Amino acid sequence: MSFADALDILYEDNHCLALNKPAGWPTTHFDGKDETVDRLAKSYLKEKYGKPGNVFLGVVHRLDKPVSGVLLFARTSKAAARLSEQFREGMVEKQCWAVVEDAPPGSRGRDLVPWLKSDTGSLEDYLKKSEPNARVEVVPKDTPGAQFARLLFVVRGRHNGLTWLELRPHTGRKHQLRVQLASRACPIYGDVKYGSDQGLGHNIGLHARSLTFLHPTSKEPITVKADVPKVWRGRFAHLLASTT
């Protein structure tokens, strides 16, 4: 099988490569044990262009292992530097889709869940990594090492105890969306790490739907969109058909 057949390429030119990352795959390798998306992408470029030796591929951002959606790489060192700067400076517009479990009626904190009251709003928290269990937690503002996190939400649909949210993060903290939603007693569907008791295979109900960035050489805005995984269309068929 060709490496091209294993990848869902969304955008490609001499400077950038964007693909639809499948859930269950790490973005890049740390210990070398798992197959990773960046290795597969390098093999794809090597095969397509018949490149000898090592192929350059710059990792400019990451998606968590169980998250699917738009993943952008740089094909040159200059593009990598410019795209990395855009991510650092908050210039990249990210749009994510999340399916969250509604807090049960009568549960503590249900009245404080903003998307059960309004179709639009924002979430602001201070987050800190908890190293022993590799989780991130919401902490008081004055906690040493706490980082500010903010996102905007729009409710796109509701059905049978689930809410479909469109999220636009203004900051890029580790596990930010997952912990901000779970801290309001509404974990992302399938995200066992943050309190869900549902299963969704290798997936969780979080998908990087689109990414808008400035092209590293032409400076033109580029928007790349990724379709949701097939498992979403089965499990969330009624929810995705609903609109508020």
Side-chain angles (χ1 to χ4, degrees):
M1 183 182 73
S2 167
F3 288 106
D5 297 330
L7 293 175
D8 181 5
I9 304 297
L10 304 174
Y11 179 88
E12 181 182 350
D13 64 13
N14 292 334
H15 309 276
C16 307
L17 176 70
L19 53 85
N20 189 352
K21 175 190 171 297
W25 285 64
T27 298
T28 187
H29 62 281
F30 293 100
D31 55 17
K33 294 177 183 176
D34 293 332
E35 184 58 278
T36 59
V37 180
D38 68 330
R39 284 178 174 168
L40 196 60
K42 283 183 180 181
S43 297
Y44 158 75
L45 293 171
K46 189 177 180 70
E47 175 187 77
K48 180 175 180 178
Y49 298 104
K51 288 181 173 289
N54 293 328
V55 173
F56 179 87
L57 191 72
V59 178
V60 296
H61 75 125
R62 292 174 173 81
L63 295 178
D64 293 346
K65 187 174 179 179
V67 178
S68 57
V70 181
L71 185 60
L72 177 65
F73 293 105
R75 292 193 54 200
T76 68
S77 57
K78 180 184 289 187
R82 291 177 176 176
L83 291 172
S84 294
E85 182 181 17
Q86 289 185 45
F87 278 99
R88 269 196 316 275
E89 299 298 324
M91 298 167 61
V92 177
E93 184 177 303
K94 308 170 191 173
Q95 182 191 109
C96 299
W97 284 356
V99 175
V100 299
E101 302 168 30
D102 293 343
S107 64
R108 179 185 173 197
R110 180 179 168 86
D111 290 342
L112 300 177
V113 179
W115 52 88
L116 294 180
K117 296 181 177 181
S118 172
D119 284 347
T120 62
S122 64
L123 305 182
E124 295 184 354
D125 295 292
Y126 286 85
L127 309 181
K128 186 177 181 181
K129 297 177 188 176
S130 176
E131 298 300 345
N133 53 15
R135 283 166 51 100
V136 176
E137 299 173 349
V138 173
V139 296
K141 179 179 179 178
D142 57 358
T143 302
Q147 293 182 307
F148 178 69
R150 183 173 192 265
L151 64 82
L152 304 180
F153 72 83
V154 175
V155 176
R156 293 188 61 113
R158 295 186 175 95
H159 180 77
N160 197 26
L162 298 177
T163 301
W164 170 21
L165 297 173
E166 178 180 301
L167 307 174
R168 293 180 182 266
H170 281 198
T171 50
R173 310 305 183 195
K174 179 180 175 67
H175 294 183
Q176 176 183 332
L177 307 185
R178 299 165 67 182
V179 70
Q180 283 197 276
L181 298 174
S183 70
R184 288 159 175 84
C186 297
I188 291 173
Y189 190 99
D191 194 1
V192 177
K193 189 179 188 77
Y194 285 100
S196 173
D197 58 4
Q198 303 295 326
L200 198 62
H202 294 300
N203 298 255
I204 61 174
L206 182 59
H207 177 74
R209 170 61 172 166
S210 73
L211 207 63
T212 300
F213 60 97
L214 296 181
H215 191 276
T217 57
S218 72
K219 310 300 184 187
E220 291 295 319
I222 304 288
T223 298
V224 183
K225 290 186 177 181
D227 289 337
V228 295
K230 288 181 180 178
V231 68
W232 278 49
R233 301 196 179 281
R235 188 69 59 89
F236 307 135
H238 294 293
L239 178 63
L240 296 177
S242 70
T243 54
T244 58

